């Protein structure tokens, strides 16, 4: 088909029926909404265009720069669309953890402000929250920026209501399917699942909407973890019938199954949604799965695999010929990792002189750290592990992170390599709360 402008390619994405011989779900018709077919490669293309379309004339006439909280796909889409219309972008984000994403944004000329926080979404518990920084930037230069606010802007929901949800319904209706029973999608801003589900509920008030998050101490690009379930912006926990937790390892495995089983090159967020769909639909009562009409379920394939190759290699080094361990430690292994209390670490530092490794970002480290700790941010430390643990074996190693979760994974990995490694229980927060001194700078 012929088109006159790139924005005409946004939306109207394919809905693919997945072969039941592959997914193995009894009497379930499972469909994948391929948002990865948008022109810039993700579901966020739809959102970016929905946020700026009606305000283009005002933004251009005032010469303002877009400012947005985004660490990936939204920033990418806004930057490309902005360039087409002569509008700049400042992306404010917590540390970008996927190398290809950072490199692409730099290649596109995006101005990026990276913060030392942990959350991928607005975090009301931290003074370094991205929205706080955006508000401060706008206050300092009141006529420079135009804030789209994807986490709070109702256009996020409206875009997916009129687009994603309507398209799913209309495409299924052509096959005589008038209702959707389950909608599954990753929980980020929550705009896609809320918008699409709200439309689909017009035709089936009993639609089950399932949100997908990562395990508490894990990281899957683009979605929240169990530790980020605070109610901010568009996220309403009561909207969802179920929130399913997926580990990074499960997400990667499901990502590869999508490629091998159906030829879908999807990112790990989509893999997480596929994994959650199999979990939720596979556990349905027999009566629900064996009625005359099959259960109809749709999950959202939100982006493509290619930008996440480095992420997959880190989580599953065995897939690329590496034999070193990764951060995907199992629950049993993590439960066996020894920890030290802040008081014990203070005593240990006076006697055995351990190597204390602070895994936080440089800014957070400078603000305050355990005296004598060396700073190796987690993404750099992860790379160093791939080339051998870089610490002397003659001294114990204590890993420190904000609350003690990521440090346990590094300690588990070091112990696999034969090191006397432990984790600071409760992390730097527990050290501070114990009234122990922090070193600055």
């Amino acid at each position: 088909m012929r088109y006159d402008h790139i924005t005409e390619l946004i939306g109207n994405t394919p809905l693919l029926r997945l072969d039941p011989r592959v997914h193995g779900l009894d009497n379930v018709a499972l469909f994948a909404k391929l948002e990865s077919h948008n022109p810039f490669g993700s579901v966020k293309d739809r959102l970016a265009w929905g946020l700026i379309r009606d305000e283009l004339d005002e933004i251009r006439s005032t010469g303002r720069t877009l400012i947005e909280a985004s660490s990936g796909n939204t920033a990418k889409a806004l930057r490309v669309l902005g360039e087409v219309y002569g509008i700049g972008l400042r992306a404010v984000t917590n540390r970008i953890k996927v190398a290809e994403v950072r490199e692409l944004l730099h290649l596109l000329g995006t101005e990026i402000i990276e913060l030392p926080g942990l959350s991928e979404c607005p975090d009301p518990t931290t003074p370094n929250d991205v929205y706080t920084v955006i508000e401060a930037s706008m206050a300092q230069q009141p006529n420079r920026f135009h804030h789209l606010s994807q986490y709070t802007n109702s256009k996020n929901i409206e875009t997916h209501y009129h687009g994603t949800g309507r398209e799913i319904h209309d495409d299924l209706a052509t096959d005589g399917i008038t209702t959707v029973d389950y909608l599954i999608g990753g929980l980020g801003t929550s705009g896609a699942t809320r918008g699409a589900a709200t439309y689909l509920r017009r035709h089936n008030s009993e639609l089950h909407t399932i949100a997908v998050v990562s395990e508490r101490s894990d990281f899957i690009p683009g979605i929240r973890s169990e530790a980020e379930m605070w109610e901010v912006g568009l996220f309403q926990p009561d909207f969802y019938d179920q929130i399913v937790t997926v580990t990074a390892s499960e997400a990667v495995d499901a990502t590869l199954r999508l490629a091998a089983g159906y030829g879908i090159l999807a990112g790990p967020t989509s893999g997480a949604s596929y994994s959650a769909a199999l979990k939720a639909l596979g556990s349905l009562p027999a009566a629900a799965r064996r009625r005359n009409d099959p259960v109809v379920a749709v999950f959202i394939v939100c982006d493509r695999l290619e930008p996440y190759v480095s992420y997959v290699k880190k989580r599953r080094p065995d897939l690329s010929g590496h034999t070193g361990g990764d951060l995907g430690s199992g629950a049993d292994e993590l439960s066996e990792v020894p920890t030290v209390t802040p008081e014990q670490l203070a005593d240990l530092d006076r006697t055995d002189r351990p190597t204390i490794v602070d895994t936080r970002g440089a800014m957070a480290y400078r603000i305050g750290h355990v005296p004598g700790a060396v700073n190796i941010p987690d993404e750099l430390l992860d790379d160093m592990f791939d080339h051998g643990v870089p610490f002397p074996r003659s001294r114990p190693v204590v890993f420190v992170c904000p609350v003690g979760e990521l440090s346990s994974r590094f300690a588990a990995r070091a112990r696999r390599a034969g090191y006397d490694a432990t984790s600071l229980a409760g992390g730097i927060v527990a050290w501070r709360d114990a009234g122990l001194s922090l070193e600055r700078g």
Side-chain angles (χ1 to χ4, degrees):
M1 296 180 66
R2 178 189 176 280
Y3 298 90
D4 293 316
H5 198 275
I6 192 65
T7 55
E8 296 174 14
L9 296 175
I10 297 175
N12 294 312
T13 55
L15 185 67
L16 179 67
R17 182 180 180 273
L18 302 188
D19 188 343
R21 293 174 298 179
V22 177
H23 61 66
L25 296 171
D26 180 37
N27 205 31
V28 173
L30 181 60
F31 296 84
K33 179 62 170 167
L34 301 181
E35 288 297 290
S36 53
H37 280 50
N38 279 302
F40 316 132
S42 88
V43 65
K44 297 298 187 177
D45 299 3
R46 219 188 262 272
L47 168 61
W49 183 229
L51 291 177
I52 69 171
R53 179 175 49 205
D54 296 333
E55 301 183 62
L56 274 175
D57 291 341
E58 177 188 352
I59 298 170
R60 296 173 72 185
S61 65
T62 57
R64 296 188 178 186
T65 294
L66 301 176
I67 188 169
E68 186 53 63
S70 174
S71 60
N73 285 323
T74 302
K76 176 179 66 174
L78 287 174
R79 181 62 189 128
V80 176
L81 288 170
E83 185 71 9
V84 170
Y85 290 101
I87 303 170
L89 170 68
R90 173 183 287 185
V92 183
T93 176
N94 290 307
R95 285 182 299 128
I96 300 175
K97 299 178 182 179
V98 180
E100 293 96 332
V101 172
R102 180 189 289 105
E103 292 168 4
L104 179 58
L105 291 176
H106 280 304
L107 183 65
L108 296 173
T110 311
E111 180 187 2
I112 303 173
I113 304 297
E114 288 191 73
L115 305 174
L118 297 175
S119 175
E120 291 293 302
C121 58
D123 182 354
T125 68
T126 173
N128 293 317
D129 175 59
V130 289
Y131 267 60
T132 302
V133 173
I134 288 174
E135 290 170 1
S137 299
M138 295 179 69
Q140 292 167 3
Q141 298 176 287
N143 297 315
R144 181 181 174 188
F145 297 109
H146 182 91
H147 186 201
L148 297 168
S149 192
Q150 65 168 329
Y151 283 91
T152 64
N153 195 328
S154 61
K155 287 184 178 180
N156 190 341
I157 295 174
E158 294 167 9
T159 295
H160 292 288
Y161 177 91
H162 295 292
T164 314
R166 178 187 56 79
E167 291 170 18
I168 291 171
H169 175 266
D170 291 351
D171 287 344
L172 289 174
T174 61
D175 288 337
I177 301 174
T178 58
T179 60
V180 176
D181 300 300
Y182 287 82
L183 178 72
I184 304 102
L187 181 59
T189 66
S190 77
T193 47
R194 279 194 61 192
T198 300
Y199 187 93
L200 295 173
R201 283 176 180 171
R202 290 175 49 187
H203 304 276
N204 180 14
S205 60
E206 297 183 359
L207 171 79
H208 286 74
T209 305
I210 298 176
V212 186
V213 300
S214 72
E215 190 181 67
R216 176 172 295 272
S217 59
D218 230 333
F219 167 65
I220 299 174
I223 60 176
R224 303 180 189 220
S225 77
E226 281 184 298
E228 298 171 331
M229 288 295 97
W230 44 75
E231 186 172 351
V232 294
L234 302 176
F235 174 48
Q236 295 179 353
D238 293 343
F239 182 86
Y240 299 93
D241 298 281
Q242 189 177 355
I243 296 179
V244 176
T245 301
V246 176
T247 68
S249 182
E250 289 173 329
V252 170
D253 286 343
T255 296
L256 298 178
R257 290 201 299 273
L258 285 173
Y262 314 104
I264 299 174
L265 292 178
T269 304
S270 307
S273 294
Y274 180 56
S275 177
L278 297 183
K279 286 182 181 181
L281 299 171
S283 63
L284 290 177
R289 289 187 281 110
R290 292 175 181 167
R291 60 187 184 178
N292 292 331
D293 296 325
V295 172
V296 177
V298 179
F299 73 96
I300 298 173
V301 173
C302 55
D303 62 5
R304 291 183 59 85
L305 174 60
E306 292 88 341
Y308 302 101
V309 172
S310 65
Y311 171 85
V312 172
K313 287 173 65 177
K314 285 183 177 181
R315 296 290 168 169
R316 290 289 305 278
D318 56 296
L319 298 174
S320 54
H322 297 290
T323 57
D326 68 345
L327 292 183
S329 307
D332 290 342
E333 184 180 16
L334 289 175
S335 67
E336 296 175 357
V337 172
T339 60
V340 294
T341 66
E343 294 79 8
Q344 289 171 333
L345 178 55
D347 290 339
L348 185 66
D349 193 37
R350 286 190 287 267
T351 57
D352 291 348
R353 301 301 299 168
T355 300
I356 304 173
V357 182
D358 191 318
T359 67
R360 298 174 300 155
M363 185 180 296
Y365 173 82
R366 288 196 298 270
I367 292 173
H369 55 266
V370 175
V374 295
N375 182 216
I376 309 179
D378 53 35
E379 71 273 15
L380 178 59
L381 185 57
D382 195 31
D383 290 337
M384 294 171 72
F385 266 102
D386 289 339
H387 299 89
V389 183
F391 311 113
R393 292 182 180 272
S394 59
R395 297 166 61 183
V397 183
V398 181
F399 292 94
V400 178
C401 72
V403 294
E405 293 175 340
L406 184 61
S407 58
S408 291
R409 293 181 177 272
F410 278 115
R413 188 168 179 180
R415 292 179 69 82
R416 265 181 255 154
Y419 283 76
D420 178 10
T422 59
S423 169
L424 175 60
I428 199 71
V429 172
W431 180 276
R432 182 195 61 202
D433 292 346
L436 296 169
S437 63
L438 288 168
E439 192 170 70
R440 304 183 187 277

